[in-house]
C-alpha cells in the first residue's frame, strides 16, 4: 500500500477510535444505570481502555506515515519501532481478545458482561464499535503493512506485565467497593478466579502468537517497513 494511502487510512482510523472513545466516556451522568460507571468510571472496563489504546496506536501510525512522506526517515525509524511494538504486543491481541471474549460471554449470558440496562444508555452502533469493529480493524492493519515483532520473550513479558496491571486494577476496585468490574467474576471462588485470570492470559497470549503467525505468513520474515 502506498504511503499516502496508508497515511489517509491511519488518520481516519485515529479519528474513528478517538470519536468512539469520546462517545463512551461522555455518556450523560443522569442516563447511567446505578450499577455501572461508579468507582473508576469507564476506565475500569477493558473495552474502553482498548479504545484509547487503538487511538494511540493509529495516531502513532499516522505520525510515522507523515514522517516517511516528508522524508524524515531517521525520526520515522524510531516512531515505526514504537508503532510495531504497540501493534504486536497490545493493539492486535487486546482487540482480538475484547471482541471474541465479549461476544462469547454475551451469547452465553449477557448479564455477565453487558447488563440489559445498558441498552438504554449505549446505542447499538456504539456497542458494535467498541466490541465488534475492533477486530476487523486489527486484521486490516496486518493486511495493510508488515510489522516487526519483538523477540518472543520480550513481547510476552510486556504483554504479561500489562495484563498484570489490569488485573491489579480490577482487584483494587473490588477491594475498595466490594463490587466486581464484571458480574462474571462474582461467580468464582478465589482459586477459581485465579484460574480464570490465568486462562484469560493464556488466551490473549495465543492471540499474540496468532498475530505474529499472520504477519509472517502474509509478509514473510524479511519484508518490513523502513
Amino acid at each position: 500500500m502506498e504511503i499516502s494511502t496508508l497515511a489517509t487510512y491511519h488518520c481516519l482510523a485515529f479519528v474513528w477510535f478517538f470519536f468512539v472513545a469520546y462517545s463512551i466516556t461522555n455518556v450523560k451522568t443522569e442516563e447511567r444505570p446505578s450499577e455501572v460507571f461508579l468507582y473508576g468510571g469507564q476506565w475500569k472496563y477493558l473495552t474502553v481502555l482498548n479504545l484509547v489504546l487503538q487511538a494511540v496506536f493509529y495516531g502513532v501510525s499516522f505520525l510515522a506515515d507523515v514522517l516517511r512522506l516528508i522524508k524524515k526517515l531517521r525520526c520515522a525509524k524510531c516512531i515505526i519501532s514504537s508503532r510495531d511494538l504497540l501493534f504486536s504486543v497490545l493493539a492486535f491481541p487486546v482487540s482480538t481478545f475484547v471482541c471474541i471474549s465479549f461476544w462469547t460471554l454475551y451469547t452465553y449470558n449477557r448479564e455477565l458482561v453487558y447488563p440489559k440496562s445498558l441498552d438504554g444508555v449505549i446505542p447499538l452502533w456504539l456497542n458494535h464499535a467498541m466490541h465488534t469493529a475492533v477486530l476487523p480493524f486489527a486484521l486490516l492493519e496486518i493486511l495493510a503493512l508488515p510489522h516487526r515483532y519483538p523477540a518472543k520473550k520480550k513481547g510476552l513479558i510486556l504483554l504479561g506485565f500489562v495484563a498484570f496491571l489490569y488485573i491489579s486494577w480490577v482487584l483494587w476496585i473490588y477491594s475498595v467497593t466490594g463490587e466486581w468490574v464484571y458480574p462474571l467474576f462474582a461467580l468464582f471462588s478465589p482459586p477459581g478466579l485465579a484460574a480464570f485470570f490465568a486462562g484469560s492470559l493464556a488466551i490473549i497470549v495465543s492471540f499474540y502468537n496468532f498475530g505474529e503467525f499472520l504477519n509472517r505468513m502474509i509478509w514473510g520474515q524479511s519484508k518490513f517497513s523502513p
Side-chain angles (χ1 to χ4, degrees):
M1 191 179 290
E2 294 292 330
I3 299 177
S4 57
T5 305
L6 276 175
T8 301
Y9 163 65
H10 285 145
C11 180
L12 291 175
F14 166 74
V15 171
W16 166 252
F17 280 108
F18 183 88
F19 168 71
V20 174
Y22 177 83
S23 297
I24 190 59
T25 55
N26 283 273
V27 173
K28 294 180 180 179
T29 304
E30 61 270 18
E31 295 178 352
R32 301 175 184 177
S34 59
E35 68 269 27
V36 295
F37 302 151
L38 298 176
Y39 186 88
Q42 292 95 329
W43 307 111
K44 60 187 174 185
Y45 299 110
L46 184 61
T47 295
V48 177
L49 296 175
N50 180 56
L51 293 175
V52 176
L53 168 64
Q54 300 305 316
V56 170
F57 165 71
Y58 284 106
V60 171
S61 297
F62 176 61
L63 176 60
D65 297 334
V66 170
L67 291 173
R68 292 172 66 194
L69 281 172
I70 62 176
K71 307 301 182 182
K72 299 290 186 179
L73 297 183
R74 181 175 296 182
C75 295
K77 185 176 181 180
C78 178
I79 300 300
I80 287 171
S81 295
S82 300
R83 177 202 70 189
D84 289 348
L85 189 65
L86 269 174
F87 180 76
S88 61
V89 175
L90 295 177
F92 182 85
V94 174
S95 286
T96 307
F97 180 81
V98 164
C99 179
I100 292 178
S101 63
F102 175 82
W103 287 113
T104 299
L105 291 169
Y106 185 98
T107 301
Y108 173 71
N109 182 355
R110 65 169 296 175
E111 294 298 320
L112 298 178
V113 291
Y114 194 82
K116 194 174 181 64
S117 56
L118 287 175
D119 288 346
V121 180
I122 300 175
L124 183 62
W125 74 265
L126 186 52
N127 181 20
H128 282 291
M130 295 188 297
H131 297 116
T132 308
V134 290
L135 182 55
F137 268 101
L139 293 173
L140 182 58
E141 180 66 21
I142 283 186
L143 294 172
L145 75 162
H147 297 83
R148 186 179 297 277
Y149 273 65
K152 181 62 68 72
K153 182 178 180 180
K154 177 183 177 181
L156 294 181
I157 287 175
L158 289 173
L159 178 58
F161 178 70
V162 173
F164 172 77
L165 289 179
Y166 180 68
I167 292 172
S168 298
W169 174 225
V170 168
L171 294 176
W172 170 258
I173 291 173
Y174 178 75
S175 72
V176 172
T177 66
E179 300 288 337
W180 289 109
V181 171
Y182 298 104
L184 170 69
F185 297 159
L187 300 179
F188 296 104
S189 64
L193 188 61
F196 176 82
F197 285 147
S200 297
L201 179 58
I203 291 172
I204 202 169
V205 166
S206 72
F207 292 147
Y208 171 93
N209 289 327
F210 179 61
E212 185 177 31
F213 169 77
L214 287 179
N215 188 71
R216 184 172 63 251
M217 290 297 294
I218 295 170
W219 299 104
Q221 295 284 5
S222 59
K223 186 178 181 181
F224 291 99
S225 302

